[in-house]
Amino acid sequence: QKEVEQDPGPLSVPEGAIVSLNCTYSNSAFQYFMWYRQYSRKGPELLMYTYSSGNKEDGRFTAQVDKSSKYISLFIRDSQPSDSATYLCAMSVGNNDMRFGAGTRLTVKP
Amino acid sequence: GAVVSQHPSRVICKSGTSVKIECRSLDFQATTMFWYRQFPKKSLMLMATSNEGSKATYEQGVEKDKFLINHASLTLSTLTVTSAHPEDSSFYICSARDQQGWRSTYGYTFGSGTRLTVV
């Protein structure tokens, strides 16, 4: 079993839709949970990070962590074509050893 | 914000030659740098972790003699792919963080990646 599981998609939605991206994990020691956005042929950029369980909101983006279920989500409201990218979840126990999901390729159609 | 500059962005080399990729932190001291490899539609695979002034720690299955990593200063790390072969063709990405890691403003910052094609 992989430490971090993420459905690679692809996922295609119309502009304005609510997007839900998810990851599951097996290592209960993970404490930091991140979402990165990666445009084609670019390095990932950090969107949000959450420490331990709970929700975090930043504009149109909401990150949720459910440690009891080992499940994290990223919601994008009012999705825009500019949101089209690959979204990677990542998690770590401490400051090192960040583990990534496979990434979900999202396309938002105008 | 934190900026990590990675060069070159794209390189094509002949089989058997060596290629050097640079990763620089422009506005913070990168005490730790990470090198990743990414295949198309696949996740980032950590290759090695390097702390400034120390030898890099390689992940299992990564050939340290083939992928030479140098982290001689707090702002520069290099990855040299030695005697490159077509199977080394991939997207290589570095990331850097300062000593505080997640508790700092910079967290993990990624370079823009290098697409290596070995012909």
Side-chain angles (χ1 to χ4, degrees):
Chain A
Q1 183 186 8
K2 291 181 182 177
E3 273 193 304
V4 182
E5 298 272 6
Q6 182 177 10
D7 186 343
L11 180 63
S12 181
V13 301
E15 183 175 355
I18 296 175
V19 177
S20 173
L21 305 167
N22 312 292
C23 289
T24 59
Y25 62 94
S26 58
N27 187 351
S28 58
F30 286 138
Q31 294 281 1
Y32 298 92
F33 303 91
M34 287 71 67
W35 286 96
Y36 284 84
R37 177 173 61 196
Q38 185 178 22
Y39 292 111
S40 181
R41 301 183 182 183
K42 297 291 183 184
E45 56 177 337
L46 180 65
L47 270 179
M48 300 181 72
Y49 81 89
T50 307
Y51 174 72
S52 194
S53 284
N55 295 356
K56 190 171 186 178
E57 188 172 321
D58 184 2
R60 296 184 294 111
F61 298 88
T62 300
Q64 289 185 350
V65 175
D66 182 351
K67 291 192 71 179
S68 61
S69 302
K70 298 191 180 69
Y71 186 88
I72 70 170
S73 301
L74 177 71
F75 297 97
I76 307 174
R77 293 184 298 279
D78 188 26
S79 56
Q80 303 294 311
S82 59
D83 295 328
S84 298
T86 296
Y87 290 81
L88 301 108
C89 64
M91 43 201 80
S92 69
V93 175
N95 282 335
N96 282 332
D97 293 337
M98 189 156 55
R99 301 299 179 189
F100 287 87
T104 300
R105 183 177 293 183
L106 170 68
T107 301
V108 180
K109 296 184 176 180
Chain B
V3 177
V4 172
S5 175
Q6 185 174 343
H7 292 282
S9 59
R10 180 177 294 189
V11 59
I12 300 173
C13 70
K14 290 185 177 180
S15 185
T17 62
S18 295
V19 173
K20 181 183 283 189
I21 302 170
E22 289 190 350
C23 182
R24 293 179 184 272
S25 59
L26 299 186
D27 52 2
F28 67 102
Q29 293 186 328
T31 51
T32 306
M33 287 192 173
F34 305 87
W35 287 95
Y36 294 87
R37 184 173 180 175
Q38 188 176 35
F39 293 102
K41 300 182 182 179
K42 298 293 184 183
S43 182
L44 294 166
M45 290 173 44
L46 180 65
M47 298 174 66
T49 302
S50 71
N51 293 299
E52 184 265 337
S54 302
K55 288 185 177 180
T57 302
Y58 290 80
E59 294 295 300
Q60 191 173 10
V62 178
E63 298 176 62
K64 59 180 67 176
D65 293 332
K66 181 165 190 62
F67 298 101
L68 300 179
I69 291 172
N70 184 283
H71 190 173
S73 77
L74 284 170
T75 60
L76 175 65
S77 177
T78 60
L79 166 67
T80 302
V81 183
T82 62
S83 186
H85 290 285
E87 57 266 30
D88 298 325
S89 298
S90 191
F91 193 56
Y92 293 87
I93 308 175
C94 68
S95 74
R97 67 166 181 84
D98 68 8
Q99 62 184 0
Q100 289 189 305
W102 285 113
R103 288 177 287 281
S104 77
T105 303
Y106 304 121
Y108 284 71
T109 303
F110 284 84
S112 55
T114 298
R115 183 160 301 280
L116 169 64
T117 303
V118 184
V119 298

